[in-house]
Amino acid sequence: MASNLPMSPQLEQIHGEIRDHFRALANGFQRLDKIKDSTRQSKQLEELTDKMRECKRLVKEFDRELKDEEARNSPEVNKQLNDEKQSMIKELNSYVALRKTYMSTLGNKKVELFDMGAGVSGEPTAEENVQVASSMSNQELVDAGMKRMDETDQAIERSKQVVEQTLEVGTQTAANLKGQTDQMGRVVNHLDTIQFSIKKASQLVKEIGRQVCGYR
Protein backbone atom coordinates (compact mmCIF):
# COMPACT_ATOMS: atom_id res chain seq x y z
CA MET A 1 0.00 0.00 0.00
CA ALA A 2 2.77 2.40 0.96
CA SER A 3 4.47 2.05 -2.41
CA ASN A 4 1.28 3.17 -4.15
CA LEU A 5 0.94 6.34 -2.09
CA PRO A 6 1.20 9.58 -4.09
CA MET A 7 4.33 11.25 -2.71
CA SER A 8 6.64 14.00 -3.76
CA PRO A 9 10.22 12.93 -4.54
CA GLN A 10 11.36 14.37 -1.17
CA LEU A 11 8.72 12.46 0.80
CA GLU A 12 9.37 9.30 -1.16
CA GLN A 13 13.09 9.45 -0.37
CA ILE A 14 12.49 9.94 3.36
CA HIS A 15 9.87 7.21 3.37
CA GLY A 16 12.26 4.81 1.64
CA GLU A 17 15.00 5.50 4.20
CA ILE A 18 12.59 4.83 7.08
CA ARG A 19 11.49 1.54 5.54
CA ASP A 20 15.13 0.52 5.04
CA HIS A 21 15.78 1.20 8.73
CA PHE A 22 12.72 -0.83 9.74
CA ARG A 23 13.97 -3.82 7.73
CA ALA A 24 17.38 -3.47 9.38
CA LEU A 25 15.74 -3.35 12.82
CA ALA A 26 13.66 -6.47 12.12
CA ASN A 27 16.74 -8.38 10.97
CA GLY A 28 18.78 -7.03 13.90
CA PHE A 29 16.33 -8.23 16.53
CA GLN A 30 16.12 -11.63 14.83
CA ARG A 31 19.90 -11.93 15.05
CA LEU A 32 19.77 -10.79 18.68
CA ASP A 33 17.71 -13.85 19.61
CA LYS A 34 20.51 -16.08 18.34
CA ILE A 35 23.31 -14.29 20.24
CA LYS A 36 24.17 -15.93 23.56
CA ASP A 37 27.13 -13.80 24.63
CA SER A 38 25.95 -10.85 26.75
CA THR A 39 28.71 -8.55 25.47
CA ARG A 40 27.70 -9.10 21.86
CA GLN A 41 24.05 -8.69 22.83
CA SER A 42 24.79 -5.31 24.40
CA LYS A 43 26.73 -4.18 21.34
CA GLN A 44 23.92 -5.31 19.02
CA LEU A 45 21.37 -3.42 21.14
CA GLU A 46 23.48 -0.25 20.93
CA GLU A 47 23.52 -0.51 17.13
CA LEU A 48 19.75 -1.08 17.02
CA THR A 49 19.22 1.89 19.35
CA ASP A 50 21.17 4.12 16.98
CA LYS A 51 18.96 2.97 14.10
CA MET A 52 15.84 3.75 16.16
CA ARG A 53 17.13 7.25 16.86
CA GLU A 54 17.70 7.77 13.15
CA CYS A 55 14.20 6.44 12.42
CA LYS A 56 12.72 8.91 14.88
CA ARG A 57 14.60 11.76 13.21
CA LEU A 58 13.39 10.65 9.78
CA VAL A 59 9.77 10.32 10.92
CA LYS A 60 9.90 13.88 12.24
CA GLU A 61 11.38 15.01 8.96
CA PHE A 62 8.62 13.14 7.09
CA ASP A 63 6.02 14.93 9.23
CA ARG A 64 7.54 18.36 8.57
CA GLU A 65 7.67 17.73 4.83
CA LEU A 66 4.10 16.42 4.90
CA LYS A 67 2.87 19.61 6.55
CA ASP A 68 4.72 21.72 3.98
CA GLU A 69 2.99 19.84 1.15
CA GLU A 70 -0.40 19.60 2.80
CA ALA A 71 -1.84 22.63 1.01
CA ARG A 72 -0.88 21.18 -2.39
CA ASN A 73 -2.43 17.75 -1.75
CA SER A 74 -6.05 16.69 -1.78
CA PRO A 75 -7.75 15.78 1.54
CA GLU A 76 -7.75 12.13 0.55
CA VAL A 77 -4.02 12.13 -0.22
CA ASN A 78 -3.29 13.95 3.06
CA LYS A 79 -5.32 11.35 4.94
CA GLN A 80 -3.43 8.48 3.31
CA LEU A 81 -0.06 10.08 4.05
CA ASN A 82 -1.02 10.84 7.64
CA ASP A 83 -2.21 7.26 8.09
CA GLU A 84 1.14 6.06 6.76
CA LYS A 85 2.94 8.38 9.19
CA GLN A 86 0.92 7.00 12.13
CA SER A 87 1.66 3.46 10.96
CA MET A 88 5.40 4.19 10.93
CA ILE A 89 5.21 5.76 14.41
CA LYS A 90 3.46 2.63 15.76
CA GLU A 91 6.04 0.37 14.14
CA LEU A 92 8.87 2.44 15.62
CA ASN A 93 7.23 2.31 19.06
CA SER A 94 6.99 -1.48 18.80
CA TYR A 95 10.76 -1.67 18.29
CA VAL A 96 11.31 0.71 21.21
CA ALA A 97 9.21 -1.56 23.45
CA LEU A 98 11.13 -4.60 22.19
CA ARG A 99 14.41 -2.87 23.02
CA LYS A 100 13.19 -2.18 26.58
CA THR A 101 12.38 -5.86 27.00
CA TYR A 102 15.86 -6.93 25.93
CA MET A 103 17.49 -4.22 28.07
CA SER A 104 15.53 -5.43 31.10
CA THR A 105 16.63 -9.01 30.47
CA LEU A 106 20.27 -8.00 30.14
CA GLY A 107 19.99 -5.79 33.22
CA ASN A 108 18.68 -8.71 35.28
CA LYS A 109 21.58 -10.88 34.16
CA LYS A 110 24.27 -8.32 34.77
CA VAL A 111 23.13 -6.33 37.77
CA GLU A 112 20.79 -8.37 39.94
CA LEU A 113 23.12 -11.35 40.19
CA PHE A 114 26.14 -9.21 40.99
CA ASP A 115 24.88 -6.04 42.72
CA MET A 116 26.40 -6.60 46.15
CA GLY A 117 25.67 -3.09 47.34
CA ALA A 118 27.39 0.06 46.11
CA GLY A 119 29.17 2.19 48.67
CA VAL A 120 30.37 -0.68 50.86
CA SER A 121 34.10 -0.50 51.41
CA GLY A 122 35.96 -3.20 49.52
CA GLU A 123 32.87 -4.37 47.62
CA PRO A 124 32.48 -3.91 43.83
CA THR A 125 29.89 -1.38 42.71
CA ALA A 126 26.99 -2.21 40.38
CA GLU A 127 28.82 -0.64 37.40
CA GLU A 128 31.94 -2.67 38.10
CA ASN A 129 29.85 -5.83 38.40
CA VAL A 130 28.16 -5.09 35.06
CA GLN A 131 31.57 -4.74 33.43
CA VAL A 132 32.62 -8.07 34.92
CA ALA A 133 29.35 -9.78 33.98
CA SER A 134 29.44 -8.46 30.43
CA SER A 135 32.53 -10.54 29.72
CA MET A 136 30.98 -13.76 31.02
CA SER A 137 29.06 -16.44 29.17
CA ASN A 138 25.53 -17.47 30.10
CA GLN A 139 26.85 -20.58 31.88
CA GLU A 140 29.30 -18.47 33.88
CA LEU A 141 26.45 -16.13 34.82
CA VAL A 142 24.39 -19.09 36.03
CA ASP A 143 27.36 -20.49 37.99
CA ALA A 144 27.97 -17.10 39.56
CA GLY A 145 24.30 -16.84 40.50
CA MET A 146 24.37 -20.32 42.11
CA LYS A 147 27.50 -19.36 44.02
CA ARG A 148 25.80 -16.23 45.28
CA MET A 149 22.80 -18.25 46.49
CA ASP A 150 25.14 -20.67 48.29
CA GLU A 151 26.86 -17.73 49.97
CA THR A 152 23.47 -16.36 51.00
CA ASP A 153 22.46 -19.75 52.49
CA GLN A 154 25.73 -19.87 54.44
CA ALA A 155 25.16 -16.34 55.75
CA ILE A 156 21.64 -17.30 56.87
CA GLU A 157 23.00 -20.39 58.63
CA ARG A 158 25.61 -18.29 60.45
CA SER A 159 22.90 -15.86 61.52
CA LYS A 160 20.80 -18.73 62.90
CA GLN A 161 23.79 -19.96 64.92
CA VAL A 162 24.33 -16.49 66.36
CA VAL A 163 20.64 -16.28 67.34
CA GLU A 164 20.78 -19.71 68.99
CA GLN A 165 23.93 -18.78 70.91
CA THR A 166 22.33 -15.52 72.00
CA LEU A 167 19.24 -17.34 73.24
CA GLU A 168 21.42 -19.83 75.12
CA VAL A 169 23.39 -17.04 76.79
CA GLY A 170 20.14 -15.26 77.65
CA THR A 171 18.69 -18.42 79.21
CA GLN A 172 21.85 -19.00 81.24
CA THR A 173 21.89 -15.38 82.37
CA ALA A 174 18.26 -15.62 83.45
CA ALA A 175 19.02 -18.81 85.40
CA ASN A 176 21.99 -17.12 87.08
CA LEU A 177 19.89 -14.10 88.00
CA LYS A 178 17.20 -16.35 89.46
CA GLY A 179 19.81 -18.21 91.48
CA GLN A 180 21.25 -14.94 92.79
CA THR A 181 17.75 -13.68 93.64
CA ASP A 182 17.00 -16.88 95.59
CA GLN A 183 20.32 -16.59 97.40
CA MET A 184 19.61 -12.97 98.35
CA GLY A 185 16.20 -14.07 99.67
CA ARG A 186 17.84 -16.68 101.87
CA VAL A 187 20.33 -14.10 103.19
CA VAL A 188 17.49 -11.71 104.07
CA ASN A 189 15.62 -14.49 105.84
CA HIS A 190 18.80 -15.40 107.73
CA LEU A 191 19.29 -11.76 108.75
CA ASP A 192 15.70 -11.62 110.00
CA THR A 193 16.34 -14.75 112.05
CA ILE A 194 19.50 -13.23 113.53
CA GLN A 195 17.69 -9.99 114.34
CA PHE A 196 14.91 -11.92 116.05
CA SER A 197 17.43 -13.93 118.04
CA ILE A 198 19.23 -10.78 119.16
CA LYS A 199 15.92 -9.25 120.26
CA LYS A 200 15.01 -12.36 122.23
CA ALA A 201 18.47 -12.49 123.81
CA SER A 202 18.17 -8.84 124.84
CA GLN A 203 14.83 -9.53 126.47
CA LEU A 204 16.31 -12.56 128.26
CA VAL A 205 19.23 -10.49 129.60
CA LYS A 206 16.81 -7.89 130.92
CA GLU A 207 14.72 -10.59 132.59
CA ILE A 208 17.78 -12.16 134.22
CA GLY A 209 18.82 -8.69 135.44
CA ARG A 210 15.46 -8.13 137.11
CA GLN A 211 15.62 -11.50 138.77
CA VAL A 212 19.11 -10.81 140.10
CA CYS A 213 17.92 -7.49 141.57
CA GLY A 214 14.98 -9.28 143.23
CA TYR A 215 17.23 -11.67 145.15
CA ARG A 216 19.02 -8.73 146.71
Side-chain angles (χ1 to χ4, degrees):
M1 176 183 175
S3 59
N4 296 327
L5 287 173
M7 299 183 189
S8 66
Q10 182 66 19
L11 269 182
E12 190 172 355
Q13 180 180 350
I14 299 170
H15 183 268
E17 291 180 18
I18 294 173
R19 285 299 165 189
D20 288 342
H21 278 77
F22 282 160
R23 282 190 289 271
L25 285 170
N27 293 332
F29 278 109
Q30 287 178 359
R31 288 197 300 271
L32 191 61
D33 287 332
K34 300 176 183 179
I35 298 175
K36 303 302 180 183
D37 181 71
S38 58
T39 303
R40 291 177 57 199
Q41 284 180 336
S42 297
K43 185 176 180 181
Q44 178 75 359
L45 269 178
E46 289 176 4
E47 294 176 357
L48 294 174
T49 301
D50 289 339
K51 290 186 182 299
M52 281 184 273
R53 289 196 187 101
E54 180 62 15
C55 273
K56 183 177 180 181
R57 186 191 67 79
L58 288 169
V59 169
K60 287 183 177 181
E61 187 176 344
F62 184 91
D63 183 53
R64 285 193 299 268
E65 189 67 25
L66 182 59
K67 288 178 180 178
D68 290 341
E69 298 181 6
E70 194 170 26
R72 299 192 297 271
N73 295 331
S74 67
E76 180 62 26
V77 170
N78 285 330
K79 183 181 183 304
Q80 292 177 2
L81 293 175
N82 274 296
D83 288 346
E84 176 64 14
K85 181 191 71 175
Q86 292 300 324
S87 174
M88 292 189 295
I89 291 174
K90 288 181 181 178
E91 187 168 354
L92 177 57
N93 286 338
S94 69
Y95 287 121
V96 171
L98 191 58
R99 172 189 173 275
K100 287 182 179 179
T101 301
Y102 278 100
M103 289 296 291
S104 176
T105 302
L106 281 176
N108 289 338
K109 286 182 181 178
K110 296 178 181 179
V111 178
E112 291 182 3
L113 288 178
F114 294 91
D115 189 1
M116 299 160 62
V120 180
S121 177
E123 296 289 341
T125 63
E127 288 185 1
E128 292 170 341
N129 284 323
V130 168
Q131 292 174 355
V132 172
S134 64
S135 62
M136 301 175 71
S137 66
N138 286 345
Q139 184 59 46
E140 289 172 329
L141 287 168
V142 171
D143 292 341
M146 295 297 294
K147 181 181 178 182
R148 170 53 55 84
M149 287 189 287
D150 290 340
E151 291 172 353
T152 302
D153 290 340
Q154 292 171 9
I156 292 173
E157 188 62 31
R158 287 195 297 269
S159 298
K160 288 171 60 179
Q161 292 176 0
V162 170
V163 170
E164 290 173 357
Q165 292 172 359
T166 302
L167 290 174
E168 184 178 348
V169 170
T171 302
Q172 184 61 42
T173 301
N176 291 340
L177 287 174
K178 185 177 185 302
Q180 292 174 0
T181 301
D182 293 341
Q183 185 178 3
M184 289 178 66
R186 289 194 295 271
V187 169
V188 170
N189 291 336
H190 185 56
L191 289 174
D192 288 341
T193 301
I194 293 174
Q195 186 176 12
F196 178 78
S197 299
I198 292 174
K199 184 177 181 181
K200 293 294 291 183
S202 177
Q203 292 175 350
L204 182 60
V205 168
K206 289 180 181 179
E207 184 64 26
I208 291 173
R210 283 196 297 269
Q211 291 177 3
V212 169
C213 289
Y215 284 121
R216 291 179 183 177

